Amino acid sequence: MSNDRTERLVNLVLCLLSSRRFQTSTRIARTVPGYEHNHDDKKAHDAFQRKFERDKAELRRIGIPLQSGIDYLGDGEPGYRIARSDFELPQIEFTDAEAAAVAAAARLWQQPELQSGSSDALRKLRAAGIDVESHAAASPVKSLPGAEAALAPFLEAVASRRTVVFDYFGPRDGAAQQRRIQPWGCAAWRGRWYVAGYDLDREAQRCFRLSRISGKVRLTGPEGAFTIPEGVDVLAFASAADDRQLPSRATVLVRPKRAWGVRRRADQIGPRTPEGDQACFSYTDTAATAAWLASFGADVLVTDPPELVKETIACLQALADDKETP
Amino acid sequence: MTQNRLARLLNLVPYLVARPEGVPIAELAADFGVDADQIQSDLTMLWMCGLPGYGPGDLIDIAFDADEVRVLFAAGMDRPVRLAAHEALALSVALRVLADTPGVGDRAAIASALDKLAAAAGEIPADVTVRDTVTDPQAERYAALVASGHAARITYYSASRDTTSERVVDPIEVVAADGHAYLRAWCRTAGEIRQFRIDRIDACSELDEPSEPLRLTNQPAPTAFLASELPRIQLLLGPGAKTVTDAYPCDEIVGEPDGRRRVTMRVRDLDWARRFVLGLGGDAEVLAPAELRDAVRQTAGAALARYQPA
């Protein structure tokens, strides 16, 4: 931002903050240095109005909302003001433990946008005389939330109700596909980030795992483009894949002193046979369990149930198969 | 992270108002994350700004005595600007993550800090839910172990080696990442810092001696253990094995015309890779190195032989 614009904006803020009355743009142009122009020159006046619009948007972006309205003493032309109660950080006091929590929160992010959001917030608190960082305490636990780069743009899009466009590598997709969604909310489940929303091309509700997004997330179209349905539960979307099956019992033979992973999982070991120690455990997902058992190679022999035996043999055959050599 | 200049200027005045005793230029610069020259030019600009009228009594007045800065007239900017939406979100989502992480701090304080921030921001424009950050019920027990400052003897199952071993460790911290909790500790047996996944610690007894992690350096997080000198493998992943790209850091992922994915990744060693590929249940094909391809085939062949009737 140019020096002139920065100076103009500081003066605009002070001007609009100094009076409770709405000030018309004509009056602002006459008062605040940097806006002066010949009101009767249409070109100059249009240029002023564009400049003023851009300045209002910049103030909104850094958290300064302009109110617009008509001053009852004026000539009916709409004007602007900054209400002190909207502008100022309210009085806020943290206990030592709360300050320590805020300091820890500010250090959590690895995403640059979220890092700068947190540190800008701390600077505002510090300007109000609250130094949370001096209360930072060593914690025995460190949390490393998912560092998905798409999180910050999605949070912004949800907050401003804007449409987002991104490329997504779905579990069944051979290539990343472009998606257009109206995002409703974000959630973290088991250390991963998800977004749920309305997919404009598929015309249905969808949930996306942020780690599967490839490339940049773009916000497009106007703010306030949609409303978020009441009671949306993003977490329910995220965990929907976790369907519950009834458990089955597996019986396997484990070579002596081998396949410790199977032994750890077993709730019953023995008797010993010449082919190995018998081990039993419960499982739900046949395919995943067979793949896991196959990873122990010849140290494990699956004996029951038959579908688990069959599935394990299928895994091993696929692994042992001579495939084309590149 | 340096702040946008306008935001910094609007912060500088209330910062000085809150510190009427004066602040040295160097301290101001450090607190705002810029150099002293930048702060000088910021103050000079503020000096030229003020209230309509813009006469001597209307402009912001700043005094420099003996290198200390004080504000004499703030032109109505006594308080910093409210938290902007993105600032309040960054902190409040982080607090929600902390609130869902066991052992990380005072839950009640996290919750009340969240309420106070929401009040200070006006509104927090997006609701974010955080759940099951750590699924291991033992995480808090290990947080207590770290807090005790004692060394411990643990029995640890290493899935990559399929072995269980006993070792004495000097705990450093519990790290919550990827839905799991890890104990980061100096391992006296290995002579280096290791991360132990807590659900794989089969037994743990606290010792009556202090934890003395020998090298408290910046070791990588559990998700970032793959350094560039580790062996590189290339796999072709079928539909069932595609979640590999979510769970492991990959150097390169290429979609093939047949819908499979060609993935290049670094692994700790080839024996680990052999177990890893075997566990993908035939949905993965090893492209390179040939040594790994042969090892996988051989292991699977030997296992299959056990199912053939003699």
Side-chain angles (χ1 to χ4, degrees):
Chain A
M1 195 186 292
S2 70
N3 279 351
D4 286 352
R5 186 172 183 217
T6 306
E7 190 174 332
R8 182 174 79 231
L9 281 164
V10 173
N11 279 321
L12 176 62
V13 168
L14 293 174
C15 169
L16 294 180
L17 200 55
S18 67
S19 166
R20 284 186 183 187
R21 297 179 55 182
F22 291 104
Q23 312 214 33
T24 63
S25 63
T26 315
R27 190 184 151 88
I28 290 168
R30 274 205 304 265
T31 316
V32 175
Y35 287 133
E36 53 280 274
H37 65 281
N38 180 358
H39 200 76
D40 298 326
D41 177 345
K42 189 173 181 309
K43 229 167 132 185
H45 189 63
D46 288 350
F48 155 71
Q49 298 220 290
R50 283 196 301 273
K51 203 189 223 178
F52 186 55
E53 287 305 314
R54 279 199 305 274
D55 287 354
K56 281 194 300 186
E58 175 63 18
L59 291 181
R60 202 166 38 239
R61 204 185 62 75
I62 64 167
I64 305 175
L66 264 59
Q67 287 183 348
S68 60
I70 295 170
D71 194 284
Y72 62 97
L73 291 174
D75 53 8
E77 195 194 332
Y80 302 91
R81 69 177 182 192
I82 297 172
R84 197 162 277 277
S85 60
D86 290 346
F87 171 84
E88 286 185 344
L89 184 73
Q91 289 297 337
I92 178 169
E93 270 174 41
F94 289 121
T95 63
D96 289 355
E98 288 163 354
V102 175
R107 292 203 209 125
L108 196 71
W109 297 117
Q110 297 161 61
Q111 293 91 327
E113 300 93 330
L114 294 167
Q115 276 176 346
S116 67
S118 312
S119 54
D120 289 353
L122 289 203
R123 286 204 181 92
K124 285 183 177 172
L125 292 174
R126 206 179 307 136
I130 303 165
D131 186 4
V132 297
E133 277 159 323
S134 65
H135 296 279
S139 162
V141 179
K142 183 158 83 186
S143 197
L144 288 175
E148 290 93 332
L151 180 58
F154 273 116
L155 289 174
E156 188 190 337
V158 173
S160 58
R161 316 286 193 262
R162 290 183 74 190
T163 302
V164 284
V165 179
F166 56 93
D167 290 335
Y168 191 68
F169 232 132
R172 283 168 294 278
D173 298 338
Q177 298 191 3
Q178 197 186 72
R179 300 295 190 111
R180 253 176 355 122
I181 72 159
Q182 296 174 336
W184 292 339
C186 298
W189 185 57
R190 298 194 173 168
R192 292 180 200 286
W193 288 100
Y194 297 83
V195 64
Y198 185 74
D199 188 317
L200 291 168
D201 298 309
R202 283 152 183 83
E203 298 184 338
Q205 300 176 6
R206 288 282 189 273
C207 182
F208 302 89
R209 194 192 262 193
L210 300 197
S211 62
R212 291 186 183 148
I213 288 174
S214 109
K216 276 214 150 57
V217 174
R218 263 186 320 116
L219 277 65
T220 116
E223 292 190 1
F226 54 92
T227 48
I228 297 173
E230 291 268 324
V232 167
D233 184 355
V234 182
L235 207 72
F237 280 102
S239 54
D242 192 31
D243 56 343
R244 312 212 186 298
Q245 296 169 300
L246 282 176
S248 312
R249 295 286 293 168
T251 307
V252 302
L253 293 171
V254 182
R255 281 189 172 158
K257 300 196 169 146
R258 308 301 286 267
W260 291 101
V262 178
R263 291 170 187 275
R264 285 179 79 247
R265 182 159 169 189
D267 44 32
Q268 196 191 320
I269 295 189
R272 294 194 169 173
T273 74
E275 289 188 283
D277 306 341
Q278 183 173 299
C280 300
F281 60 89
S282 301
Y283 69 96
T284 48
D285 185 335
T286 306
T289 309
W292 175 66
L293 290 168
S295 75
F296 294 95
D299 291 337
V300 169
L301 183 69
V302 185
T303 58
D304 194 62
E307 68 271 16
L308 187 63
V309 177
K310 199 176 145 205
E311 188 75 29
T312 309
I313 291 175
C315 285
L316 291 167
Q317 273 167 343
L319 289 161
D321 250 5
D322 257 10
K323 287 164 190 152
E324 82 270 32
T325 327
Chain B
M1 264 323 126
T2 50
Q3 208 174 7
N4 149 323
R5 190 174 184 207
L6 176 63
R8 187 172 65 239
L9 289 171
L10 296 177
N11 250 350
L12 259 169
V13 178
Y15 179 99
L16 292 169
V17 170
R19 292 160 180 81
E21 68 286 1
V23 182
I25 286 267
E27 195 180 316
L28 258 183
D31 257 7
F32 282 84
V34 291
D35 61 28
D37 287 350
Q38 181 63 56
I39 283 291
Q40 283 282 10
S41 94
D42 288 351
L43 293 171
T44 310
M45 179 178 286
L46 283 171
W47 215 350
M48 295 185 292
C49 296
L51 298 173
Y54 307 101
D58 306 317
L59 296 177
I60 292 170
D61 198 7
I62 295 165
F64 300 83
D65 349 287
D67 220 32
E68 294 221 326
V69 186
R70 279 178 307 130
V71 67
L72 304 176
F73 177 63
M77 252 201 305
D78 302 309
R79 294 280 300 169
V81 180
R82 246 179 205 283
L83 300 186
H86 68 279
E87 296 164 348
L89 260 177
L91 281 186
S92 68
V93 176
L95 282 168
R96 276 172 214 271
V97 172
L98 292 180
D100 192 59
T101 309
V104 95
D106 180 340
R107 291 275 163 107
I110 295 172
S112 56
L114 202 48
D115 289 344
K116 287 182 181 179
L117 267 182
E123 65 158 342
I124 294 182
D127 201 22
V128 173
T129 328
V130 180
R131 189 91 38 90
D132 296 342
T133 297
V134 172
T135 44
D136 198 306
Q138 296 283 319
E140 253 167 306
R141 180 184 162 204
Y142 287 93
L145 170 68
V146 171
S148 79
H150 287 156
R153 183 186 305 280
I154 62 170
T155 308
Y156 187 68
Y157 169 69
S158 154
S160 56
R161 309 266 169 245
D162 189 39
T163 53
T164 301
S165 59
E166 203 174 90
R167 43 187 109 199
V168 173
V169 299
D170 299 284
I172 299 166
E173 63 189 349
V174 171
V175 179
D178 311 328
H180 294 291
Y182 301 80
L183 176 66
R184 205 162 83 91
W186 173 268
C187 173
R188 292 188 193 171
T189 312
E192 61 183 23
I193 290 177
R194 289 276 172 92
Q195 336 249 12
F196 302 97
R197 218 173 95 174
I198 283 173
D199 61 354
R200 292 183 178 151
I201 302 177
D202 288 344
C204 171
S205 53
E206 196 176 316
L207 300 178
D208 196 18
E209 54 180 292
S211 166
E212 283 167 347
L214 296 181
R215 271 191 309 164
L216 261 176
T217 49
N218 266 338
Q219 288 257 324
T223 44
F225 57 81
L226 298 178
S228 56
E229 67 270 20
L230 297 173
R232 205 203 289 257
I233 65 169
Q234 199 174 48
L235 307 176
L236 203 51
L237 302 178
K242 279 177 179 169
T243 49
V244 164
T245 54
D246 293 331
Y248 295 87
C250 299
D251 286 356
E252 194 186 34
I253 305 169
V254 182
E256 295 284 321
D258 64 359
R260 294 198 285 177
R261 286 179 200 172
R262 187 153 43 89
V263 167
T264 308
M265 59 196 286
R266 297 196 181 266
V267 295
R268 273 172 270 183
D269 57 57
L270 290 183
D271 191 51
W272 180 91
R274 181 181 62 93
R275 279 184 181 285
F276 173 67
V277 174
L278 282 164
L280 296 175
D283 252 330
E285 186 184 326
V286 180
L287 297 178
E291 193 186 340
L292 175 62
R293 196 169 60 231
D294 295 344
V296 167
R297 241 176 242 167
Q298 216 170 9
T299 310
L304 268 180
R306 293 196 70 190
Y307 289 94
Q308 320 285 329

